[in-house]
Amino acid sequence: MRKKIVAGNWKMNFGLDETQDLISGLKKINKTSDAEVVIAPPFTNLFSAFEALKNTNISLAAQNMHESEKGAFTGEISAGMLKSIGVNTVILGHSERRAIFGEDENLLTEKVNMALKNDMRIIYCFGEELKDRNYGEHHEVVGKQIANTLYHLDAEAWKHIVLAYEPVWAIGTGETATPDQAQDMHSFVRKEVKHEYGAEVADNLSILYGGSVKPANANEIFSKEDVDGGLIGGASLKAEDFMAIVNAF
Ligand code: PGA
C-alpha cells in the first residue's frame, strides 16, 4: 500500500518564534487520519523545529538543497548538512525554484542524484503552466518533466521518490485543479511510471496534489483514487487549517 502524505511547504515565512508557535499549535490538534505529516520550514528554523518535533509523528523536509557535496558555494546548504540535523526529506523542483531561480532539468537531475546519494527522500514537484493546459499539452509537458529528471534512476531509487503534481496556475492563486483534473493527471503519471518501471514501482508511488488546497476542498481532492496526499503552501501556515487538511483523509 502506498503512503498517504500531507506536507506543508512554509516557503519564506516565519522566524524562530512563529515557527515554535505554529509547531505548538500543530501538536495540540488531534490527528485522526493515518496520513504522514511533514512540514518544511525555512532552513534557519529546521533545527529548532527538529527539536520541537521530537516524540511527535510529524517529520521535517527542507525546501531545497545544493547539488554539490560541499565547497565554495556561498549561501548554499548541502544534503549532508540537512542530514546532520535530522532532516531526511527534501522538496525539489518546486515551480518557484524553476521559475524564479532558473532551476532547469539538468540542475534538478544533479540535485536528485545528490539527495539520493545521501539517502534522502525527495518530494519532487512538477506541473504545467496555464498556457500548456490551454494548448492541450499538459500531459506531454508533465511527462517530460518527470522523464527528463527521474527516468535515469533504477527501480530501487524510486522507493525514495514522492511525486507532487502542482499545476503552476493553481499555486497561491486560490484556483484549484478540479478533483477530476487532479485525478486525470495523477493517473496519467502513474501509468507513465508503470510503463517505464512496472506495476510495483507505480503502485507504491505516492503522488501528492498541490495548488490552493484548503480545508474546504481537501476532502474532495483526497477522495480521488490516485491522489495520495497534498503539498500545502498558504494553508500550512495556520495550525487549524493544516490539521483540518491532514484530517480530511
Ligand atoms: P499553495 O502552494 O497551497 O499556497 O497554492 C502550494 C505549493 O506551492 O506547494
Side-chain angles (χ1 to χ4, degrees):
M1 264 291 282
R2 52 186 178 255
K3 228 181 199 176
K4 297 174 181 175
I5 302 167
V6 179
N9 174 10
W10 293 11
K11 308 192 180 182
M12 197 174 74
N13 291 292
F14 293 168
L16 186 58
D17 290 349
E18 293 155 305
T19 297
Q20 295 300 321
D21 287 350
L22 181 45
I23 289 176
S24 309
L26 294 174
K27 289 204 283 196
K28 280 192 200 121
I29 301 171
N30 256 354
K31 178 160 130 4
T32 55
S33 89
D34 58 357
E36 180 190 343
V37 181
V38 181
I39 58 170
F43 286 135
T44 48
N45 299 319
L46 281 172
F47 186 59
S48 66
F50 176 78
E51 294 285 321
L53 291 172
K54 274 188 184 156
N55 305 317
T56 71
N57 48 18
I58 302 176
S59 66
L60 281 174
Q63 297 174 20
N64 182 33
M65 52 162 257
H66 195 264
E67 65 278 15
S68 301
E69 201 98 56
K70 62 177 182 172
F73 301 104
T74 302
E76 291 293 328
I77 300 288
S78 71
M81 292 173 187
L82 295 170
K83 293 280 302 219
S84 78
I85 57 162
V87 177
N88 299 314
T89 302
V90 62
I91 299 171
L92 292 178
H94 191 281
S95 70
E96 286 150 19
R97 300 292 323 169
R98 293 178 194 254
I100 305 169
F101 300 99
E103 296 198 359
D104 62 15
E105 288 173 347
N106 290 334
L107 180 70
L108 288 172
T109 304
E110 286 183 51
K111 290 193 178 200
V112 163
N113 292 342
M114 184 52 70
L116 291 174
K117 190 173 168 200
N118 282 274
D119 275 331
M120 295 189 82
R121 177 172 64 166
I122 298 167
I123 299 177
Y124 184 80
C125 307
F126 56 90
E128 83 283 359
E129 292 178 31
L130 189 56
K131 66 171 172 30
D132 305 321
R133 187 164 275 273
N134 289 341
Y135 287 134
E137 291 170 355
H138 43 296
H139 292 118
E140 194 186 327
V141 166
V142 159
K144 278 196 188 139
Q145 283 174 335
I146 295 170
N148 292 348
T149 45
L150 299 178
Y151 282 2
H152 66 288
L153 301 175
D154 60 22
E156 185 61 26
W158 277 79
K159 291 184 180 152
H160 303 277
I161 305 284
V162 171
L163 295 183
Y165 170 52
E166 298 205 307
V168 177
W169 47 273
I171 295 178
T173 57
E175 199 169 327
T176 327
T178 64
D180 286 340
Q181 283 172 327
Q183 168 58 27
D184 168 71
M185 186 58 88
H186 286 221
S187 105
F188 166 76
V189 168
R190 203 180 301 285
K191 272 191 205 123
E192 293 281 293
V193 172
K194 185 175 174 184
H195 181 71
E196 195 66 24
Y197 289 96
E200 198 183 326
V201 170
D203 290 344
N204 287 316
L205 178 64
S206 298
I207 309 178
L208 317 184
Y209 169 80
S212 301
V213 177
K214 305 182 248 322
N217 59 25
N219 188 276
E220 219 191 330
I221 295 172
F222 293 163
S223 69
K224 293 293 176 184
E225 193 186 334
D226 286 292
V227 178
D228 307 308
L231 182 55
I232 320 300
S236 72
L237 299 176
K238 270 198 186 156
E240 301 74 35
D241 287 357
F242 185 59
M243 289 310 287
I245 293 170
V246 171
N247 288 333
F249 256 126

